[in-house]
Amino acid sequence: MGFKCGIVGLPNVGKSTLFNALTQTAQAEAANYPFCTIEPNVGEVPVPDPRLDKLAAIAKSAQILPTRLTFVDIAGLVRGASTGEGLGNKFLAHIREVDAIAYVLRCFEDDDVTHVEGRIDPAADADTVETELMLADLDSLERRRTNLEKRAKGQDKEAKAQIVLIDKALELLREGKPARLAEIEPADEQMWQMLQMLTAKPILYVCNVDEESAADGNAFSKMVQERAEAEGAVAVVISAKIEAELAGLDEAERVEYLADLGLEEPGLNRLIGAGYSLLELLTYFTVGPKEARAWTITDGTKAPKAAGVIHTDFEKGFIRAETIGYNDYVTLGGETPCKEAGKMRLEGKEYLVKDGDVMHFRFNT
């Protein structure tokens, strides 16, 4: 898998149009009225990586299997969603397990598309979304804390540790700040993640602009980008209309269409790239005559853990990893020439996998 991204936003910001375009499906009904998405929609897209095609061509692989990105789209949020307004709060549970959350923000003017609050202000929209997520976290943590108190009184060490983390989050949330601002010790990171707080997740700001602004953005998107930089977040400029057009074209037509617009790549590619950067992800490859396949891991992952992404047995019985750098594999023309040139390395359990590594794992069953 690549990563899982939740999509949130106010109604009529182009959220469902974007989801449809990115996943090239018609799962989410896009219409000019609030709450048209009444079920959470899930779609998967292959992560574009031209390196994989080059590796497959060299190895004459029968199949090409890219890593995949999952989008989870929920109903539009409105002010008061956390207390039952609209339909958004009903589906917030569906994005508690995602890796990152994309705030889709309206950065275009169109008199034919109403705004739920009667104005175009992406910064205010982001505040509304963030507030509703914070209130949802606040409610969830307060209820969880009540249940944990009983266990803590019985000297349950894990319950006590969870309460400490919950209190750290609650202090921020009650001040109107997201939980991701908390400083968490590495030893507590896993327990922190298990709390599944919406505002503890990294965020991507997706600026939905008009077609004319797709290449360089506009005043609205620049406002969002400044906010993202100040927060250490990431902002991506996308035109949902353009992405919807691209979804209906073949590859040659897409290239021509993008060139006419002055764009080098689709917005999906930029969104995925931003997500990988935000989450510090990288890709390694397994290549052979049967298939060439991409695998996504976190930067800093050691070889056994990377092997475990393929199968848990690979991690448990890990012996070593036969490793070739991507550039060596492509320049020399495959595994055998790399072996002959001494470019294949045998890496052990402490090896930190690098982006683009071509790997074959040796393991005991």
Side-chain angles (χ1 to χ4, degrees), residues 198-257:
L198 297 167
T199 62
K201 299 179 186 300
I203 59 171
L204 287 159
Y205 291 116
V206 179
C207 306
N208 183 19
V209 300
D210 55 88
E211 292 153 287
E212 290 74 23
S213 305
D216 301 314
N218 56 28
F220 294 126
S221 65
K222 285 180 173 57
M223 182 193 309
V224 177
Q225 286 173 319
E226 288 173 3
R227 177 187 179 122
E229 288 174 12
E231 296 177 355
V234 176
V236 184
V237 174
I238 291 181
S239 169
K241 283 189 176 181
I242 290 176
E243 297 303 312
E245 290 286 341
L246 289 171
L249 302 177
D250 61 35
E251 187 59 32
E253 290 172 325
R254 287 184 191 183
V255 172
E256 184 178 351
Y257 183 51

Side-chain angles (χ1 to χ4, degrees), residues 322-324 335 338-339 341-346 360 362:
E322 297 175 353
T323 307
I324 302 170
E335 183 177 314
C338 284
K339 283 183 179 178
K343 294 296 184 180
M344 175 182 280
R345 312 183 306 274
L346 293 179
H360 175 74
R362 297 183 184 178

Side-chain angles (χ1 to χ4, degrees), residues 137-147 170 174:
D137 279 347
L138 195 61
D139 177 63
S140 171
L141 292 179
E142 285 176 341
R143 284 188 284 107
R144 182 176 294 196
R145 193 187 191 289
T146 300
N147 294 331
L170 286 174
R174 286 166 179 160

Side-chain angles (χ1 to χ4, degrees), residues 35-63:
F35 320 132
C36 59
T37 308
I38 58 172
E39 290 294 337
N41 296 280
V42 179
E44 282 195 350
V45 297
V47 173
D49 192 330
R51 296 177 298 179
L52 186 59
D53 295 323
K54 289 183 180 179
L55 293 171
I58 293 169
K60 296 181 171 59
S61 304
Q63 273 190 301

Side-chain angles (χ1 to χ4, degrees), residues 238 242-243 246 254 258 263-271:
I238 291 181
I242 290 176
E243 297 303 312
L246 289 171
R254 287 184 191 183
L258 287 168
L263 297 172
E264 295 182 1
E265 59 182 353
L268 170 62
N269 296 27
R270 296 195 302 277
L271 178 58

Side-chain angles (χ1 to χ4, degrees), residues 321-341:
E322 297 175 353
T323 307
I324 302 170
Y326 170 79
N327 288 335
D328 288 335
Y329 194 101
V330 172
T331 302
L332 296 175
E335 183 177 314
T336 301
C338 284
K339 283 183 179 178
E340 293 171 350

